[in-house]
Amino acid sequence: MPRIICVASVKGGVGKTTTVSNLATTFSKMGYKTLAIDANITGANLGLHLGTSSRNILTIHDVLKNNIKIKEAIYKHSLGFHVLLGGIYLNDLNNIDLSQIKEKINSIKKEYDIILIDCAAGLGEEALNAINASDEVVVVTTPELPSVADAYKLVEYAENNWIPISGVIVNKEGNDKFKDITVNDVEEILGKKVLQIIPKEKEVEQSINLKKPVVNLFPESKSGKSFQKLAYSLIGKDLNQKQSWVEKLISFFTKY
Ligand SMILES: Nc1ncnc2c1ncn2[C@@H]1O[C@H](COP(=O)(O)OP(=O)(O)OP(=O)(O)O)[C@@H](O)[C@H]1O
Ligand SMILES: [Mg+2]
């Protein structure tokens, strides 16, 4: 059964795109047919994180203008997963019909095991259309009170609309006792489980700069391990659990 997972937040810059690029890489390595979609229509930058930004590609913007079929704008990334990226120019935003996101994604859903949606920050029209197109939402926050308080609105919206929340990611954890609130506080405020804490690390910044996910560039770093653990916990597995022979076989065949 395919899963459409929306990675969302109300506050901007908390790490949604970083999470999507790292989850897509890890899920693909695990052998899942994965598609990463940039649904941050006004601020599309997943391609920058993945080193695939180009003037010459078809994008989700072309799809939402009804110019092309969604399949025409899906490309295979060298890390194994598929991507549907966004346009980066102002005039890409002309004549976009956001209400079509759900129908377009549903039309290719059965071809994937996991579809990750990189959502725009906030609860504006573009974010709500992406959230409503999803089967579940992963909420990203930093360990700061304003970010967590904002995240509560997202939890409320999802619950009011019967969209399950798979859990919360606390990103950029810096153990700053003057600024950071605890994971227990996050869970208490949001009433949701924290799936993973991701440390604030220079390796993440460096890997974004080098346009490669940290799980690929520095898989043994704390943040690299944390993103891998997150992927495993989203599918109910433990990172340290050995792969079964069936999984090894699937990984082998999807690689070649
Ligand atoms: N774990 C981390 N450690 C250090 N820096 C991080 C970490 N996660 C994200 N960042 C930094 O935060 C910046 C914003 O991350 P990202 O683009 O993933 O956020 P976003 O939630 O997608 O933002 P937007 O709301 O604008 O779409 C990155 O460019 C990176 O420099
Ligand atoms: Mg983003």
Side-chain angles (χ1 to χ4, degrees):
M1 176 75 172
R3 282 171 71 176
I4 304 179
I5 306 173
C6 187
V7 178
S9 74
V10 174
K11 198 171 188 307
V14 294
K16 296 176 295 299
T17 307
T18 308
T19 301
V20 167
S21 73
N22 281 286
L23 284 180
T25 307
T26 310
F27 283 138
S28 174
K29 203 170 166 207
M30 289 163 83
Y32 292 103
K33 285 189 81 181
T34 307
L35 169 67
I37 298 179
D38 196 340
N40 190 343
I41 303 299
T42 49
N45 60 13
L46 181 62
L48 287 177
H49 283 241
L50 294 169
T52 49
S53 270
S54 153
R55 286 160 207 270
N56 303 319
I57 58 163
L58 297 169
T59 65
I60 190 167
H61 293 79
D62 298 311
V63 177
L64 298 177
K65 284 174 203 279
N66 258 330
N67 285 346
I68 56 162
K69 291 203 171 98
I70 187 166
K71 270 192 176 178
E72 293 176 66
I74 293 177
Y75 298 89
K76 185 164 185 201
H77 190 275
S78 57
L79 290 170
F81 52 90
H82 287 185
V83 285
L84 171 57
L85 299 171
I88 50 174
Y89 299 104
L90 187 59
N91 62 12
D92 284 323
L93 302 177
N94 298 338
N95 306 317
I96 294 280
D97 181 1
L98 291 169
S99 68
Q100 289 195 43
I101 291 183
K102 183 174 181 152
E103 181 199 318
K104 300 283 183 189
I105 296 176
N106 276 341
S107 72
I108 41 117
K109 181 176 176 175
K110 63 176 188 324
E111 297 182 25
Y112 295 95
D113 300 316
I114 299 172
I115 297 179
L116 295 163
I117 302 185
D118 183 12
C119 193
L123 291 170
E125 204 192 340
E126 56 181 312
L128 295 188
N129 275 289
I131 294 167
N132 292 335
S134 310
D135 299 323
E136 56 195 283
V137 176
V138 169
V139 176
V140 187
T141 181
T142 56
E144 295 148 305
L145 193 55
S147 174
V148 182
D150 272 353
Y152 184 71
K153 293 179 214 132
L154 173 58
V155 171
E156 236 186 333
Y157 177 84
E159 284 185 341
N160 289 346
N161 289 280
W162 304 98
I163 305 167
I165 304 257
S166 333
V168 178
I169 302 168
V170 177
N171 187 30
K172 304 196 200 183
E173 161 72 62
N175 280 322
D176 183 340
K177 64 178 190 289
F178 296 109
K179 185 167 74 68
D180 291 359
I181 64 171
T182 67
V183 167
N184 281 349
D185 289 339
V186 175
E187 290 189 330
E188 204 161 302
I189 294 169
L190 299 181
K192 298 287 162 196
K193 196 173 157 15
V194 169
L195 290 172
Q196 190 63 47
I197 303 167
I198 318 274
K200 185 177 165 95
E201 265 194 342
K202 65 172 183 347
E203 281 84 346
V204 178
E205 289 163 22
Q206 204 180 337
S207 65
I208 292 170
N209 215 3
L210 294 170
K211 303 187 182 72
K212 288 210 160 97
V214 70
V215 292
N216 178 249
L217 208 53
F218 304 111
E220 297 304 321
S221 64
K222 279 189 185 152
S223 49
K225 282 262 180 239
S226 304
F227 279 120
Q228 292 172 71
K229 273 193 200 157
L230 171 66
Y232 276 76
S233 77
L234 275 169
I235 53 160
K237 286 191 179 172
D238 184 344
L239 176 60
N240 300 318
Q241 209 172 298
K242 287 232 159 64
Q243 272 189 321
S244 71
W245 68 269
V246 181
E247 285 167 327
K248 278 187 191 155
L249 206 64
I250 293 171
S251 281
F252 180 81
F253 282 118
T254 47
K255 216 159 151 191
Y256 297 101

